[in-house]
Amino acid sequence: RVADVERRVIMNIEIRKLVPELAEDYIRFFDTTPHADEVEDHRCYCVWWCTDDSEGRDYSSVEKRREIAARYVRGNIIQGYLAYSDGEVVGWCNANTKSDCQKCYCWRRFMGAIPTGQSTPDIKVKSVFCFAIAPQMRRQGIARQLLDSVCRDAAQDGFDLVEAYPNKAFFDAAEDFMGPVGLYLESGFVVSHETDDKFVMIKPLK
């Protein structure tokens, strides 16, 4: 284990900020953990929410996404937090600076109705883009612990607020990867905007 990786232990769950040294743990989690009741080759490796400009990027196969993910983690292009139990990754939260991610694949494709003006040079916004929890570990508060770490570190790093984009209505685990509305309400978020199918929820940090 890397000695200088930040660790937080809450009950038997350990939350670690993703750093390049944890790339193998990250890849193994996506290699081995089913995230939805879908075909095997849908494994995303969470490459679509990142600071890279998606224009011309080929994400068409599992192998390509896996290779890109390893490079992204080692380059701090994918950012977020891993949840560990007994030394194995059981959860993931993708959280990054909003203004840095508006050219990534999923923002371009799905987030056109989300206001961008709140993220300016004078206002730093941390966006929560995705949760993935191992099936056997769901409903044990892991997403809440991951979100708590996002908010705590964002405050320490000088962000003004944390922003999230949950669906208004629950569909299934695959469609609701941004987390449920209730998770954010319990963590002190409020609705600041809404689109046809999403709420924009914020938690001020100052």
Side-chain angles (χ1 to χ4, degrees), residues 9-127:
V9 179
I10 306 175
M11 299 179 63
N12 66 328
I13 299 298
E14 184 181 5
I15 307 299
R16 303 185 192 180
K17 189 172 184 178
L18 183 65
V19 293
E21 292 84 357
L22 297 179
E24 290 186 9
D25 288 359
Y26 178 90
I27 295 297
R28 188 182 308 113
F29 174 65
F30 283 92
D31 281 344
T32 60
T33 306
H35 306 304
D37 297 328
E38 300 184 21
V39 294
E40 181 72 14
D41 67 359
H42 184 71
R43 295 181 187 279
C44 65
Y45 294 90
C46 213
V47 294
W48 292 311
W49 298 105
C50 66
T51 61
D52 192 30
D53 186 337
S54 67
E55 188 70 29
R57 185 72 65 194
D58 184 359
Y59 300 112
S60 60
S61 71
V62 173
E63 291 74 20
K64 289 175 181 177
R65 293 192 293 272
R66 189 182 194 278
E67 178 184 353
I68 290 169
R71 186 166 69 251
Y72 279 1
V73 173
R74 293 188 176 105
N76 289 313
I77 294 170
I78 294 176
Q79 296 181 19
Y81 294 80
L82 295 169
Y84 287 75
S85 177
D86 296 326
E88 295 295 325
V89 180
V90 296
W92 158 246
C93 176
N94 185 317
N96 210 322
T97 303
K98 180 181 179 180
S99 60
D100 290 344
C101 297
Q102 290 166 15
K103 292 185 178 181
C104 71
Y105 176 84
C106 276
W107 191 283
R108 288 178 186 267
R109 183 170 179 183
F110 300 116
M111 306 290 276
I114 303 298
T116 59
Q118 208 166 22
S119 185
T120 70
D122 297 324
I123 301 176
K124 288 184 66 178
V125 180
K126 176 77 76 172
S127 286

